[in-house]
Amino acid sequence: MLGAGIIALFLGVLFSAQAGLLFLAAAWVAVGTWRYPWPAFLFLIAIAPFLLILKATVVLGPLTLLKDVVILTLFLRSFRGDGRPFPSALTIPVFTLLVWDLVAFIRADAFALGLLRLRDLLLYVALLPIAARLVNTTGRRRTFFVVFFGTAALILVLGAIQWFLFPDGMVLRFDAARQVWIPRLSSVLAHPNHLGGYLVFALPLVA
């Protein structure tokens, strides 16, 4: 970590204190994730939905990059053992997702926006082999579902609090047919579409 500290100091002097601190935090997160992959994975599942609201802020937004560090570290660690990042059963799903990501990138309206979306989508692809490697026992599957559904329940509770106590914080959509503004619930996911996508993903797991 001495080398990471020197690099962080260099970045802080050359660019900004924020860049140096962010690099140092990323180094610590990478080391911790490599040593304790299972707790790091559970922590990622628990906090990932809350990062969208931080991403919209200027000061705390860069901290969401630490999520990328966790995912990349876990992905690299998945090569340990037989040297394969994921089981053969995931070959077709991973390949399909990669093709879809490239198509979405090519069809993007702006290059920069398409590149950012491609980065996010590739990180989601990396989560497949990570989950296949780590959630590999009955006990771990039980723990994963407890963490995942506990997080989903918390998001729904916060959404209910937003609906009843903080209606001004909801996103408004204009209904042209009725000429009215309709409030839409977003909870901590910053946008109603994000909340809807999260719940659509969670509901099949409940079944």
Side-chain angles (χ1 to χ4, degrees):
M1 293 303 296
L2 178 60
I6 294 175
I7 295 176
L9 180 61
F10 174 78
L11 291 175
V13 173
L14 189 62
F15 297 101
S16 67
Q18 185 185 48
L21 291 174
L22 185 61
F23 178 85
L24 189 60
W28 279 105
V29 168
V31 171
T33 301
W34 187 271
R35 291 181 179 177
Y36 308 102
W38 178 238
F41 177 71
L42 293 178
F43 185 67
L44 174 67
I45 296 300
I47 69 167
F50 300 90
L51 295 179
L52 288 173
I53 201 70
L54 294 181
K55 200 172 184 179
T57 65
V58 176
V59 177
L60 299 178
L63 290 178
T64 59
L65 294 175
L66 297 179
K67 167 185 64 75
D68 303 354
V69 175
V70 173
I71 295 176
L72 291 175
T73 304
L74 290 175
F75 180 72
L76 291 175
R77 203 179 189 283
S78 66
F79 283 92
R80 298 183 66 182
D82 57 6
R84 301 181 61 183
F86 51 84
S88 56
L90 287 178
T91 301
I92 294 179
V94 169
F95 179 76
T96 303
L97 280 175
L98 289 175
V99 172
W100 174 259
D101 293 348
L102 290 176
V103 171
F105 172 66
I106 294 173
R107 297 184 59 187
D109 296 332
F111 176 79
L113 182 60
L115 192 61
L116 290 175
R117 288 177 178 174
L118 180 63
R119 185 208 66 175
D120 290 338
L121 292 172
L122 289 178
L123 289 174
Y124 290 137
V125 171
L127 282 174
L128 287 175
I130 291 170
R133 290 289 186 182
L134 292 178
V135 191
N136 54 4
T137 65
T138 302
R140 286 195 168 187
R141 281 194 292 270
R142 186 181 300 111
T143 303
F144 168 80
F145 283 121
V146 168
V147 172
F148 180 81
F149 289 128
T151 303
L154 178 59
I155 290 174
L156 288 177
V157 169
L158 294 175
I161 293 174
Q162 180 189 30
W163 179 269
F164 290 106
L165 300 181
F166 302 100
D168 293 340
M170 290 191 290
V171 178
L172 297 177
R173 181 181 69 84
F174 184 70
D175 188 339
R178 293 185 292 172
Q179 295 293 306
V180 295
W181 289 93
I182 301 175
R184 302 175 65 197
L185 193 65
S186 60
S187 187
V188 295
L189 278 82
H191 194 279
N193 290 347
H194 296 155
L195 177 61
Y198 183 80
L199 294 179
V200 166
F201 176 76
L203 287 176
L205 295 180
V206 176

